[in-house]
Amino acid sequence: IFIRTLCAKGSAYKDLHEYMNLLANYATGYWLLLATDDCIMKTYNWDITIDNYRTAKYCVINPCGNGLNLFPIVSRPFYETLKHISLQTHYDSWISTCAHENKVQYRNYDLNIEHIGKYDPHTETSNDYYSDKMQNLLKEDIEKIRKVLECPQL
């Protein structure tokens, strides 16, 4: 077993996307399960379930039964196209929007991830997410995925 400890500077929730970007950079697997410390994977053999989506190549799986994708599961090609997970705190919304706009987000009702944390919309960080600057950067990421889907040899 190989264990690596990563330390990132930041201020907790506000810099959550920086932590996710750092972890994704070091990850070596095909799937990136973007989960936080306030969730529990309840599904046995969940890795086999998500691997059934490998043929989709550029995809994001929504393991939550509701409309929110709080713990997105991202394929490596999707991540490598963007070269990051997110450019803003709300990494889950960022990834979910990029995938949804390109019709490559798949909801899986067989996966059960329980969110044990309290949902808090974080008004301060939400305002930043919806700023013109962040929305323009998000549109750029949506376009990166769109281009690779239209011309996969890129």
Side-chain angles (χ1 to χ4, degrees):
I1 296 175
F2 176 74
I3 298 174
R4 171 180 276 156
T5 302
L6 301 173
C7 298
K9 294 180 181 177
S11 60
Y13 185 79
K14 184 177 147 296
D15 294 313
L16 189 55
H17 64 298
E18 298 292 351
Y19 309 140
M20 291 297 177
N21 290 335
L22 178 67
L23 291 169
N25 184 55
Y26 281 96
T28 58
Y30 187 83
W31 295 105
L32 303 171
L33 172 54
L34 305 178
T36 52
D37 64 350
D38 62 348
C39 71
I40 299 171
M41 175 60 81
K42 302 281 225 159
T43 305
Y44 183 72
N45 286 334
W46 59 270
D47 54 329
I48 295 168
T49 301
I50 65 171
D51 217 35
N52 290 326
Y53 290 88
R54 195 179 281 250
T55 57
K57 193 171 180 181
Y58 299 95
C59 88
V60 173
I61 303 168
N62 180 352
C64 302
N66 59 29
L68 299 174
N69 193 351
L70 299 177
F71 308 111
I73 303 170
V74 180
S75 70
R76 177 150 304 278
F78 191 99
Y79 162 71
E80 288 176 347
T81 298
L82 296 181
K83 300 187 180 8
H84 55 259
I85 293 297
S86 177
L87 298 175
Q88 205 275 340
T89 301
H90 297 273
Y91 73 89
D92 48 356
S93 297
W94 192 281
I95 285 291
S96 182
T97 300
C98 287
H100 177 77
E101 290 295 317
N102 284 294
K103 298 176 178 48
V104 293
Q105 178 165 249
Y106 304 95
R107 188 171 297 165
N108 185 299
Y109 294 98
D110 294 328
L111 295 170
N112 181 9
I113 298 180
E114 181 182 353
H115 186 212
I116 58 174
K118 177 184 167 205
Y119 176 71
D120 183 357
H122 297 286
T123 306
E124 178 184 323
T125 55
S126 292
N127 289 340
D128 180 54
Y129 179 82
Y130 290 107
S131 71
D132 288 343
K133 175 185 174 185
M134 285 300 144
Q135 289 301 298
N136 287 333
L137 291 170
L138 179 57
K139 287 176 187 172
E140 288 177 18
D141 276 0
I142 291 167
E143 193 57 30
K144 286 178 192 175
I145 298 297
R146 182 168 289 131
K147 283 181 182 174
V148 78
L149 290 170
E150 290 173 355
C151 192
Q153 66 272 17
L154 290 177

